[in-house]
Amino acid sequence: MELVDTHCHLYGEEFTADIDQVIERAKAAGVKRFYLPGIDSTAIPSMLELEARFPGECIAMMGLHPCYVKENYLEELEIVRQWLQQRKFAAVGEIGLDFYWDRTFEVQQYEAFRTQIGWAKEYSLPIVIHSRNSTQECINIVKEFRDGGLKGVFHCFSGSAELARQIVQQGFLLGIGGVLTYKNAGLPEVLKDIPLEHIVLETDAPYLTPVPFRGKRNESSYLTHIIAKLAEVKEMDVEEVARITTANAASLFTPAL
């Protein structure tokens, strides 16, 4: 069984002490590739260092996360642009909108989101969308740019069936992680009617740890618990779920492989 963790922050300080063991446990569980989303300029050195340590396995994205859109967002965007000019990345991400904690920089979040989508189109890269408390708003932005040249994934999807339907109609994938295993999430019902061809797997490690490890640090080896739940929801063999979701990830990130 070959799995892909399409979204994990393994370069974070939470993994400094044991990243080698984390990677080895994931490989033993069948996880062959790890996609690393960008956050802001302070995270870039550790992200690229991890990519260099595990070439072809840990693969970097580049982008400014909406929670890091602050007073200096134009400087941060310029750094993203410079990196996109220098080398190839798997995607522009993670980018989007986040209205959960603070909407002080809402206008700037929209500007940063649109700007980075424009760069994704310029460099023929997919986008990885962060849409906490803003999924409909993010879908609306995607629709502005939808002309056959934009693809990507709504990371950490946990929304309604209607939102899922809109995302799939735009040709985007749903990134499914630990929330699927939560008792009152409602996500299993939503995914029952979504064809597996529209789904990729992720952990968002170290966040959103699946049951039975909820409350502890998440890591990529726990992808096995997510896929087991997804196979149960879809009433399919785990191996077949792995085959399809891994193929979906390969198709999405083809330019970086």
Side-chain angles (χ1 to χ4, degrees), residues 46-116:
S46 56
M47 179 176 69
L48 297 184
E49 179 184 348
L50 185 62
E51 183 187 56
R53 284 180 63 187
F54 298 95
E57 296 173 340
C58 290
I59 304 173
M61 309 176 198
M62 181 54 60
L64 178 62
H65 189 295
C67 287
Y68 295 82
V69 173
K70 305 295 184 183
E71 293 90 344
N72 67 336
Y73 78 103
L74 291 177
E75 297 170 24
E76 287 287 327
L77 285 175
E78 180 57 27
I79 292 169
V80 170
R81 191 189 223 321
Q82 289 174 4
W83 274 108
L84 289 172
Q85 291 173 333
Q86 289 179 42
R87 51 154 284 182
K88 193 75 169 179
F89 287 91
V92 176
E94 66 188 277
I95 64 176
L97 305 170
D98 190 310
F99 299 151
Y100 183 71
W101 292 113
D102 183 10
R103 300 180 74 148
T104 302
F105 294 96
E106 180 175 338
V107 171
Q108 292 84 353
Q109 283 191 36
Y110 274 106
E111 181 183 345
F113 190 19
R114 289 188 173 99
T115 296
Q116 292 179 99

Side-chain angles (χ1 to χ4, degrees), residues 18-257:
D18 64 342
I19 185 59
D20 291 317
Q21 291 82 4
V22 167
I23 295 288
E24 284 306 310
R25 283 194 292 271
K27 289 181 179 179
V31 185
K32 305 299 184 184
R33 195 168 287 118
F34 313 83
Y35 286 93
L36 312 174
I39 298 297
D40 70 349
S41 61
T42 66
I44 293 173
S46 56
M47 179 176 69
L48 297 184
E49 179 184 348
L50 185 62
E51 183 187 56
R53 284 180 63 187
F54 298 95
E57 296 173 340
C58 290
I59 304 173
M61 309 176 198
M62 181 54 60
L64 178 62
H65 189 295
C67 287
Y68 295 82
V69 173
K70 305 295 184 183
E71 293 90 344
N72 67 336
Y73 78 103
L74 291 177
E75 297 170 24
E76 287 287 327
L77 285 175
E78 180 57 27
I79 292 169
V80 170
R81 191 189 223 321
Q82 289 174 4
W83 274 108
L84 289 172
Q85 291 173 333
Q86 289 179 42
R87 51 154 284 182
K88 193 75 169 179
F89 287 91
V92 176
E94 66 188 277
I95 64 176
L97 305 170
D98 190 310
F99 299 151
Y100 183 71
W101 292 113
D102 183 10
R103 300 180 74 148
T104 302
F105 294 96
E106 180 175 338
V107 171
Q108 292 84 353
Q109 283 191 36
Y110 274 106
E111 181 183 345
F113 190 19
R114 289 188 173 99
T115 296
Q116 292 179 99
I117 291 177
W119 293 340
K121 291 173 68 69
E122 179 181 349
Y123 292 101
S124 299
L125 294 174
I127 59 175
V128 174
I129 298 176
H130 175 106
S131 59
R132 186 166 56 169
N133 281 39
S134 61
T135 303
Q136 185 64 64
E137 291 87 344
C138 286
I139 292 171
N140 294 342
I141 297 296
V142 165
K143 288 178 179 178
E144 293 179 11
F145 289 86
R146 187 66 180 153
D147 59 4
L150 186 64
K151 64 178 183 176
V153 56
F154 276 71
H155 144 66
C156 189
F157 178 79
S158 59
S160 66
E162 169 58 21
L163 290 172
R165 182 189 63 78
Q166 290 187 60
I167 290 168
V168 168
Q169 284 183 341
Q170 293 303 310
F172 273 62
L173 301 175
L174 305 176
I176 301 302
V179 174
L180 180 64
T181 69
Y182 299 169
K183 185 176 180 180
N184 298 317
L187 193 53
E189 283 299 316
V190 170
L191 295 183
K192 279 184 178 180
D193 296 324
I194 299 295
L196 208 55
E197 286 73 16
H198 301 295
I199 293 172
V200 290
L201 302 177
E202 61 173 64
T203 61
D204 200 24
Y207 315 110
L208 297 175
T209 312
V211 174
F213 302 105
R214 192 174 184 186
K216 300 179 180 179
R217 180 192 72 176
N218 200 2
E219 59 178 75
S220 293
S221 62
Y222 296 164
L223 207 60
T224 54
H225 297 276
I226 298 165
I227 194 172
K229 181 63 177 180
L230 184 58
E232 175 189 317
V233 169
K234 305 300 286 184
E235 298 181 344
M236 295 173 64
D237 180 75
V238 170
E239 294 280 349
E240 182 66 3
V241 175
R243 184 189 68 78
I244 296 173
T245 56
T246 296
N248 295 343
S251 178
L252 176 66
F253 295 117
T254 295
L257 299 183

